[in-house]
Amino acid sequence: MTGLPSDNHLPDNQVAAARARLAACFDVWSAGDFDLSLCPVRGVLDHLGDKWTTLIVIVLALRPHRFSEIRRAIPDISKRMLTQTLRDLERDGLIARRVFPTKPPSVEYSLTALGQSLLEPLTALVTWAEASRPAIEAARTAFETAEAAVP
C-alpha cells in the first residue's frame, strides 16, 4: 500500500500546499542577487540524487555495515565508487566511519542522526517512485513512439 490515491494524484489541497511551500522557498532563494551556484538545495540534492547514495543509505538504514557488506549488498557498485560515495556521505555528516583496532583494521559505517533524519523523506520518495514507475515507463514509451513518428 503506497498511501496514494489509485490514480497517483494528490488531492488538490495538498498540491496547492506543496506548490505554496516550494514557491515560498524559491522566493527566499531568489531574493536579491540570485546565484544558482549558492542554491541551498542544489548541493544537497547533487549528492542525494546520484546513482549510489540512495542505495547506500537504504543499506545503512538497516544497521551499521562494513565496507565489504555494503559492496555485497550493492553488487554492481565498483570499489572506487563505493569508497568515493562513502567519503562524500561522511563529509556531508550523513554517515559515521568507525575504525576497529584489529589486524588488519576493519571499518564500519553507520548513519548519523542527520543521516537518520533523511530516512522519512527518502521513504516517501522511494514509495512515490515505486508507485509511479509504471506511469513513468508508459510516458517514456509514448514519448519515444511519438518521437520516432516525426519525420
Side-chain angles (χ1 to χ4, degrees):
M1 181 86 182
T2 64
L4 294 173
S6 60
D7 60 354
N8 287 347
H9 292 282
L10 290 174
D12 289 342
N13 63 334
Q14 289 182 9
V15 171
R19 284 182 179 154
R21 284 191 307 272
L22 291 172
C25 289
F26 192 77
D27 287 346
V28 168
W29 303 334
S30 60
D33 294 328
F34 186 51
D35 182 352
L36 287 174
S37 68
L38 300 177
C39 176
V41 176
R42 181 182 264 180
V44 173
L45 292 182
D46 280 348
H47 290 293
L48 298 180
D50 75 20
K51 184 175 181 179
W52 303 112
T53 296
T54 300
L55 292 173
I56 292 170
V57 169
I58 290 170
V59 168
L60 294 178
L62 306 172
R63 62 174 175 77
H65 283 72
R66 293 189 175 170
F67 184 92
S68 59
E69 291 177 304
I70 299 169
R71 190 138 184 244
R72 281 192 300 272
I74 309 170
D76 53 339
I77 190 170
S78 70
K79 185 176 180 178
R80 181 175 185 252
M81 184 53 65
L82 178 56
T83 298
Q84 183 60 53
T85 305
L86 289 169
R87 284 184 183 153
D88 290 344
L89 288 168
E90 185 179 12
R91 186 186 72 224
D92 289 347
L94 298 173
I95 67 169
R97 181 178 183 268
R98 182 175 173 201
V99 179
F100 293 93
T102 59
K103 299 227 183 213
S106 59
V107 179
E108 182 179 82
Y109 297 90
S110 61
L111 292 178
T112 62
L114 183 60
Q116 290 173 8
S117 73
L118 175 61
L119 296 180
E120 186 175 345
L122 182 58
T123 299
L125 180 60
V126 167
T127 300
W128 175 86
E130 287 176 333
S132 300
R133 184 176 178 176
I136 292 169
E137 289 175 352
R140 287 177 180 166
T141 299
F143 180 86
E144 291 165 2
T145 300
E147 287 286 306
V150 175

